[in-house]
Amino acid sequence: MVYKIIADSCCDLTAKYRKDPHFQIIPLTLQVGSHSFIDDETFDQKEYIRLVAESPECARTACPSPEAYMKAFEGEADMVFIVTLSQHLSGSYNSAVLGKTLYEEEHGTEKKIHVFSSDSACCGESLIAFKIQELAEAGASFEQIVARVNEFRDHMQTYFVLEDLDTLKKNGRLTGLAAILASALNIKPIMAGDHGVIVKVDQCRGIQKALKQMVEHFMAGCRNPESRTLGITHVNCPERAEQVKKMFLSQARFKNVYVVDAAGVSTTYANNGGIVVCA
């Protein structure tokens, strides 16, 4: 059967997969003050980071419309799989589900379509997309792919460390005295995904200690790393990402490791210098 994998633009694909005709990215829209960006190949990360830093307002994102997803379902593919941001973080999942419903009302249910909430973001979305392709290329049925990808997602870990807490301050999640103390003491939070919900697991003074502690937390819960791919998304800090990669490889051997710079949505929430890791 012919398959297609659709993802919203928080899915950080490598250059190789962006050229693969089986993949299609549906962009979100980003807003900083009066400036609007489409999160596609035209996205200028450095200009965006500059505008976000200068703006007193928090940057905003708008999910794709149901119609955008509906249009993406068209074509010869018999099986269509959609991977979105965690449904707890964005309306992208609900928009894709509504797009599926509207498409099936208009065209029937002959084409098999499934929407996955990644319960993650960034490289977490891409790992799920890669798993779908692996299974589809191996000849798995639609039902087998859905079941095995759900299982894969439910055992996937997502952790991240923020260098810049500006977005947390602007959107009210780090207020008053807490914001002042975090800045003055150089506190860096270590965050994780818990079934798609962001939770704080630790904090450290200084980015290097925070990254080291993030790796320790991650590896404590990582089972059979030799059979897993480790994804690392960075926001405009390739050297830091390579350092984190070395930290992981000093503790375990992974099936594969890839590093990718963040697209617009990831840049918005992880901010300049942020690191996200998934496996």
Side-chain angles (χ1 to χ4, degrees), residues 149-157 195 221-223 228 279:
V149 170
N150 278 330
E151 181 182 11
F152 174 82
R153 177 199 60 194
D154 293 346
H155 290 86
M156 187 175 70
Q157 293 192 117
H195 299 287
C222 187
R223 301 290 179 261
R228 307 187 73 84

Side-chain angles (χ1 to χ4, degrees), residues 87-100:
Q87 61 185 311
H88 302 289
L89 304 177
S90 168
S92 185
Y93 172 79
N94 289 334
S95 186
V97 170
L98 179 54
K100 173 182 181 291

Side-chain angles (χ1 to χ4, degrees), residues 50-67:
R50 182 186 70 79
L51 289 171
V52 168
E54 292 176 355
S55 175
E57 302 173 4
C58 187
R60 306 292 180 185
T61 62
C63 66
S65 68
E67 290 76 18

Side-chain angles (χ1 to χ4, degrees), residues 11-13 83 121-134 149 152 156-158 218 228-232 256 258 277-279:
C11 180
D12 294 322
L13 296 180
V83 184
C122 310
C123 46
E125 283 190 56
S126 53
L127 287 176
I128 291 172
F130 300 158
K131 188 65 175 180
I132 294 169
Q133 183 173 55
E134 175 190 322
V149 170
F152 174 82
M156 187 175 70
Q157 293 192 117
T158 302
F218 191 100
R228 307 187 73 84
T229 293
L230 174 68
I232 303 173
N256 186 32
Y258 72 95
V277 295
C278 299

Side-chain angles (χ1 to χ4, degrees), residues 1 3 9 17 57 82 84 115-116 133 150 165 183 196 198 200 209-210 220 228 236 244 277:
M1 298 180 74
Y3 70 92
S9 61
Y17 287 99
E57 302 173 4
I82 306 94
T84 75
V115 184
F116 293 99
Q133 183 173 55
N150 278 330
L165 303 182
S183 298
I198 295 174
K200 178 182 170 184
K209 289 182 180 178
R228 307 187 73 84
N236 193 38
V244 170
V277 295

Side-chain angles (χ1 to χ4, degrees), residues 1 14 25 28 58 80 105 137 143 150 160 172 218 249 267:
M1 298 180 74
T14 61
I25 296 295
L28 279 81
C58 187
V80 179
E105 287 177 354
E137 292 289 342
E143 292 75 17
N150 278 330
F160 61 97
F218 191 100
L249 293 180
T267 298

